[in-house]
Amino acid sequence: MNPALRTIGLGKSFGGFKANADVSLSVKQGARHALIGPNGAGKTTFINLLTGVLPPSAGTIWLNGEDVTYASQQGRVRRGMARTYQINQLFAELTPIETVSLAIAERQGTGARFWSRVGADSAVIDEAEALLTRMQLGAMMTRRTSTLPYGKQRLLEIALAMACKPKLLLLDEPAAGVPEDERHDVLDSVAALPEDVTVLLIEHDMELVFSFADRISVLVQGALFAEGTVDEISSDPRVKAVYLGEDAHV
């Protein structure tokens, strides 16, 4: 079986600066894979390469056995890749049910007619309601997005990505900025994602990483530094020194 995601020698240079260098990463189908690293390690550049925001300077990207190195962002979504962002990209004036319904309609190719058909396509509305309920947003689906607590906005962004029915979901720091009393909602929802969706998690919150991942890759100075199971990475003295801190206990 082909990996859900594979990069071979992936690199990105900005002039003489190498943001990523020779990154070869393989993520198995159905995996819960985390990518961690200190600030400035090149994680955001790597995600932007995977999603087509940036063109690579070297290397290739394979999605479910298909070369998508130069595919458009939309082309990658059509092939089963979806992502969230460090800073949410939500429509503040829409409600969650409107936001997710629009994403579902776009996936089905009916997005251009969506606004003239609000409420008319019961299958779209039913799918949106079920997804929002699964993401702990059922009680808030008709509230304007700008009024939602920040943790709920992060959950809505995951729901929006899941509305694309991805085969590979890239979660870019889903717990970033979430207040402590809302973090467990995010952790629980991430843990409950469908098993047939492969997830690559980019995160600084080590509680989330260690509770979620079955494999971890460590990026340092744009290159892969270490890779292994949670136990292997959490006990690796090199990782503790460069990322967790020499006196870290995990």
Side-chain angles (χ1 to χ4, degrees):
M1 181 180 295
N2 289 315
L5 174 69
R6 187 183 182 196
T7 66
I8 303 174
L10 195 62
K12 181 64 180 178
S13 298
F14 298 95
F17 173 68
K18 292 185 177 181
N20 286 141
D22 195 28
V23 179
S24 294
L25 177 73
S26 182
V27 179
K28 293 181 179 180
Q29 298 279 352
R32 297 301 189 252
H33 199 121
L35 180 68
I36 67 173
N39 289 331
K43 300 186 299 298
T44 297
T45 299
F46 185 68
I47 291 301
N48 286 336
L49 290 173
L50 294 181
T51 55
V53 175
L54 293 173
S57 302
T60 55
I61 303 165
W62 298 78
L63 179 63
N64 296 308
E66 182 178 2
D67 187 347
V68 297
T69 307
Y70 297 104
S72 66
Q73 295 180 59
Q74 295 83 358
R76 297 177 204 215
V77 172
R78 288 194 296 270
R79 290 169 173 83
M81 181 186 293
R83 71 172 293 183
T84 64
Y85 295 82
Q86 289 182 28
I87 301 174
N88 75 51
Q89 307 287 309
L90 301 171
F91 298 105
E93 299 306 309
L94 297 185
T95 65
I97 190 68
E98 290 170 336
T99 299
V100 174
S101 294
L102 178 56
I104 293 169
E106 285 287 345
R107 187 195 77 217
Q108 296 179 346
T110 61
R113 302 193 304 273
F114 175 77
W115 295 115
S116 63
R117 304 174 63 214
V118 170
D121 193 333
S122 60
V124 169
I125 300 299
D126 288 348
E127 182 179 340
E129 288 181 347
L131 181 53
L132 289 167
T133 298
R134 191 158 65 243
M135 297 304 297
Q136 305 182 60
L137 291 166
M140 300 183 176
M141 66 176 67
T142 59
R143 285 178 51 177
R144 194 169 61 183
T145 294
S146 61
T147 69
L148 298 180
Y150 190 67
K152 296 299 185 184
Q153 292 186 31
R154 301 299 284 183
L155 291 176
L156 177 56
E157 190 168 21
I158 298 173
L160 187 58
M162 289 299 297
C164 299
K165 288 198 171 179
K167 299 174 184 176
L168 172 68
L169 177 61
L170 309 176
L171 294 177
D172 195 353
E173 299 194 27
V178 177
E180 183 64 30
D181 60 350
E182 299 178 50
R183 284 178 64 258
H184 283 287
D185 286 344
V186 175
L187 268 63
D188 291 345
S189 294
V190 169
L193 289 170
E195 293 183 1
D196 61 343
V197 176
T198 304
V199 182
L200 178 61
L201 172 73
I202 299 85
E203 185 55 71
H204 281 290
D205 186 324
M206 299 312 296
E207 179 185 356
L208 176 52
V209 169
F210 289 141
S211 67
F212 173 80
D214 49 42
R215 193 161 187 84
I216 300 174
S217 298
V218 184
L219 201 64
V220 176
Q221 295 182 347
L224 278 179
F225 179 78
E227 187 171 280
T229 65
V230 171
D231 288 343
E232 288 169 343
I233 293 300
S234 63
S235 61
D236 189 327
R238 301 175 307 142
V239 175
K240 291 182 179 182
V242 301
Y243 182 70
L244 300 176
E246 291 183 347
D247 296 323
H249 297 285
V250 293

